[in-house]
Amino acid sequence: MAFNITSVKTSSNGAWQGDNPLNFAFPLLIVQTALIVAVSRSLAVLFKPLRQPKVIAEIVGGILLGPSALGRDPAYMDRIFPEWSMPILESVASIGLLFFLFLVGLELDLSSIRRSGKRAFGIAAAGITLPFLAGVGVSFVIRNTLYTAADRPGFVEFIVFMGVALSITAFPVLARILAELKLLTTQIGETAMAAAAFNDVAAWILLALAVALAGNGGESGGEKKSPLVSVWVLLSGVGFVAFMLVVIRPVMKWIAKRASPENGAVRESYVCLTLAGVMVSGLATDLIGIHSIFGAFVFGLTIPKDGEFGQRLIERIEDFVSGLLLPLYFATSGLKTDVAKIRGAVSWGMLGLVVVTACVGKIVGTFAVAVMVKIPAREALTLGFLMNTKGLVELIVLNIGKEKKVLNDETFAILVLMALFTTFITTPSAMAIYRPARGIHRKLKDLSASEHSSSKEELRILACLHGPANVSSLISLIVSIRTTKILKLKLFVMHLMELTERSSSIIMVRRAQKNGFPFVNRYRHDECHSSVIRGFQAYRQLGRVAVRPITAVSPLPTMHEDICLMAETKRVTMIILPFHRRWNVDYGHGHHQDGGDGNVPENVGHGWRLVNQRVLKNAPCSVAVLVDRGLGSIESQSSSLDGSNVVERVCVIFFGGPDDREALELGGRMAEHPAVKVTIMRFLVGEKLRSNTITLHPAPSKCKEKNYAFLTTNVDPEKEKEFDEGALEDFMSKWKDMVEYKEKEPNNTIEEILSIGQSQDFDLIVVGRGRSPSVEVAALAERQAEHPELGPVGDVLASSNNHVIPSVLVVQQHNKAHVEEITVSKIVKESSLSTDGDANV
């Protein structure tokens, strides 16, 4: 059934009145959008193990929905993607593209490009020039082979489009690939990001030139243009850019200051004004004769990059644009791609020629210049493959070329497949060629080892945090650990940021990368705006304490690799991790907002809990997890002379075992602080447990999240008892006059632990994780675990149902023998009998 686009109605009267909703514009748009998003998201899940960017799934999804696959059925195409509906779908998708290019402009920082130096500029120039010249050569062959004399486009515009298509590098896609490969903090990552930024700017200038030259694309019936028209278009484009950078940029800087008051709120009127500016800028370049996306991109460049305004803008619009509208644009690219148009040996030969030319030109050009500037050959080759990333920017160029009638259906399909192939091979090629040294798993010092080392050696601690909410408690803990002896404390503060597909993640990467490897903030006056960094400014002035803030931007599944690598690189003694739950505290009264009765903690998410679990399993040194219940008041910090607050009352619970001995050593460090009062609470074996051997049964795999994990090594109870007594004896000989020592022989261990936690006698309770458990701790294994990564005692104290008041620090000593852990589901108490395959305590 034929449709006249001018007679298509927006909405139907409904199926009950005999209307088919798919014959009306808006219901059909809803169906198309839902189908495209569902297919692209499903493919993204399938491609995720291959570490492919989301744009690959969106393009492949469009190809599957289009004439190459499902579209071979004419009934399907006429019903779901009829020809009359495509202008509507493309118009909605183009709005998403307009705002996406605005986000790309926000991501690019022109000042950072200027700072990146001659090396990145030379690599970018070679990475553009050689493939562009190669594209010019290929364009001669394609223009004479795949075009007839009647539909052959203009020579100059076709050469420029082909050159841009083969030489472009997609900056947003490359940034995410580098983060996935853990290369952002390396020299090669820095160079690739800077070169890609140069490349991006050059590509948009070349694209504007190509569009200006293409004009009306020589459509049939169109009048032949005067060459002066292209000149006027180019001059007008230059004037537009100059006006935006000279006039509009200062205006946007003023708006950014006005829109970001001290409380961090951004006024809605300024946001609406900025979004309207995107549309007006797009209209201006469209009137000039350059594509509207160029105006949106330039407007994005005018937004200040160093304040909160740009970040808040991105947060307001990125999910809707990148999550819903942008997939429509790339799916429409797939819908226009008909692989069946590539017929015969000649056409497939053209596809091979284009792919080889694009890859060789980009890789060889980048490799040659990189080697000339003394980058090692392996890194230079990796850089070449990384710069060969095409992705979404390439698709934008190709769609504009098709819209301007410069590219026919066959050439368009060839170039889309080329873009898919070059982007797809980037990650596996870079992984195969370049593997930075990681995961050495060498043993670092634990606290007890560093005590016996040279007095001039530093105690190094890596403290991780999620955001400003963790700062006060972290400073309080570190100040309490800080020894008064000659031993110095060096603190590395790692701000953990999740890398996602969102544009705001790339903004975080760009801001962090200003400081170079390894994302270390050096406290320059213009870089102290971060609330996390400000929290440590006063504290770092303390004597014998060196503070190095570090930013880690990484996907959560691989975040632990960054933490463990930094621990190895910086040779730290202990890693301190924030628990994934944090309790709100009334700082003025020193208690929970709900009075400690059924208080509900803030939960940063299960993904962060998994990060902690992986660090505990793979760390090359001791680890401590801080369950924060208000350890350190912001008010007391600001009024304190040194900008910090001290944990005044600490209780160390000691059952025995390596983890408890490490907790005891940490308690000794705290006892040296004149303002800290430490109480050692030693639990002795109760009368009920003395005569029993406890057998631990392995848990079924499906129950691992609800059960505690213990080390599989065979423990000699007598030897462990000897170690425990020796550790206590050493502890008391050093700090006897500084600590209070108590012994308990409880009938009910859990009740006794909770009585300590529910009292208001302590600010912090320090416990071992208990992976080589004493008899008392092993007896707690029959409980259903809420947070098994904390061990039985830590879990009891961290539970949100037990109304515990103090904060809790769970300590795990590094496992020197790399012994595996096994989860246990239940225990059997018996006199002497044990079961094969089980562990006895």
Side-chain angles (χ1 to χ4, degrees), residues 79 110 124 145 275 476 542 555 600 705 711 836:
R79 178 55 58 202
L110 294 177
T145 305
L275 299 183
S476 299
L542 291 172
V600 179
E705 281 297 312
L711 295 176
D836 290 341

Side-chain angles (χ1 to χ4, degrees), residues 6 12 30 50 104 172 175 200 222 226 243 336 340 396 419 426 436 517 525 586 605 646 709 728 824:
T6 58
S12 70
I30 293 174
L50 302 176
V104 172
D200 237 21
S226 166
F243 174 78
K336 296 174 189 173
I396 295 169
T426 298
F517 178 75
H525 293 295
D586 182 350
V646 174
L728 282 167
V824 295

Side-chain angles (χ1 to χ4, degrees), residues 24-339:
F24 297 83
F26 189 60
L28 181 59
L29 178 64
I30 293 174
V31 171
Q32 291 170 337
T33 303
L35 182 61
I36 288 169
V37 171
V39 171
S40 63
R41 286 291 177 180
S42 301
L43 289 171
V45 172
L46 293 177
F47 289 154
K48 193 171 183 180
L50 302 176
R51 292 187 169 185
Q52 293 301 321
K54 193 173 65 172
V55 65
I56 293 285
E58 291 165 353
I59 300 170
V60 172
I63 291 175
L64 292 178
L65 292 172
S68 299
L70 295 176
R72 290 181 176 276
D73 181 5
Y76 158 81
M77 287 299 287
D78 290 341
R79 178 55 58 202
I80 304 299
F81 295 103
E83 190 174 341
W84 62 265
S85 72
M86 295 311 292
I88 301 168
L89 179 62
E90 290 178 13
S91 296
V92 174
S94 295
I95 293 176
L97 180 66
L98 195 72
F99 281 99
F100 176 75
L101 263 295
F102 169 68
L103 294 178
V104 172
L106 268 175
E107 290 177 9
L108 279 177
D109 186 1
L110 294 177
S111 60
S112 67
I113 293 176
R114 287 195 300 268
R115 288 196 303 267
S116 56
K118 297 179 180 179
R119 171 187 284 192
F121 178 78
I123 290 172
I128 293 173
T129 305
L130 190 58
F132 189 91
L133 294 176
V136 171
V138 170
S139 63
F140 279 102
V141 181
I142 292 179
R143 189 168 178 269
N144 292 325
T145 305
L146 303 181
Y147 289 83
T148 62
D151 68 352
R152 194 168 289 166
F155 181 69
V156 178
E157 55 261 38
F158 186 72
I159 285 177
V160 175
F161 262 104
M162 286 296 297
V164 172
L166 268 65
S167 62
I168 205 165
T169 297
F171 173 80
V173 177
L174 177 63
R176 289 174 177 87
I177 289 176
L178 287 169
E180 286 282 351
L181 296 177
K182 303 292 182 189
L183 296 177
L184 271 173
T185 58
T186 64
Q187 186 178 8
I188 188 175
E190 277 190 3
T191 306
M193 287 280 280
F198 276 122
N199 201 312
D200 237 21
V201 173
W204 293 117
I205 293 172
L206 289 171
L207 180 61
L209 173 65
V211 172
L213 292 172
N216 61 13
E219 295 179 57
S220 58
E223 296 180 6
K224 187 174 178 64
K225 294 185 305 173
S226 166
L228 288 176
V229 173
S230 296
V231 176
W232 281 115
V233 169
L234 289 173
L235 291 176
S236 301
V238 172
F240 171 80
V241 173
F243 174 78
M244 295 295 286
L245 295 180
V246 174
V247 178
I248 301 300
R249 194 174 187 182
V251 172
M252 293 310 300
K253 192 172 184 179
W254 178 82
I255 289 176
K257 286 183 179 178
R258 295 269 299 174
S260 301
E262 292 300 319
N263 60 10
V266 175
R267 295 182 189 176
E268 185 180 356
S269 57
Y270 290 118
V271 174
C272 293
L273 179 66
T274 304
L275 299 183
V278 177
M279 307 290 280
V280 172
S281 300
L283 176 63
T285 50
D286 200 73
L287 286 172
I288 291 171
I290 304 174
H291 201 280
S292 57
I293 61 171
F294 187 72
F297 173 74
V298 174
F299 186 66
L301 293 175
T302 66
I303 307 295
K305 307 296 190 291
D306 54 354
E308 293 294 321
F309 183 61
Q311 182 74 21
R312 299 298 175 89
L313 266 177
I314 291 174
E315 290 172 358
R316 296 285 182 92
I317 65 175
E318 68 175 334
D319 286 333
F320 183 67
V321 171
S322 300
L324 185 66
L325 297 183
L326 200 62
L328 298 185
Y329 184 81
F330 296 117
T332 56
S333 302
L335 288 168
K336 296 174 189 173
T337 304
D338 188 359
V339 179

Side-chain angles (χ1 to χ4, degrees), residues 654-657 661 720-729:
F654 186 84
F655 285 93
R661 293 194 290 270
E720 280 297 308
K721 188 175 180 181
E722 220 177 282
F723 289 150
D724 294 339
E725 295 295 339
L728 282 167
E729 188 178 336

Side-chain angles (χ1 to χ4, degrees), residues 469-513:
N470 304 123
V471 172
S472 60
S473 57
L474 184 58
I475 291 179
S476 299
L477 178 61
I478 298 300
V479 170
S480 305
I481 297 173
R482 177 173 167 258
T483 179
T484 57
K485 292 186 177 180
I486 301 174
L487 190 71
K488 294 181 181 179
L489 173 63
K490 190 159 191 176
L491 176 63
F492 300 92
V493 181
M494 179 175 273
H495 187 188
L496 307 178
M497 292 182 171
E498 180 184 5
L499 181 87
T500 64
E501 291 285 344
R502 302 175 66 170
S503 295
S504 54
S505 290
I506 302 304
I507 294 291
M508 290 191 298
V509 170
R510 180 186 53 75
R511 287 180 176 175
Q513 198 163 6

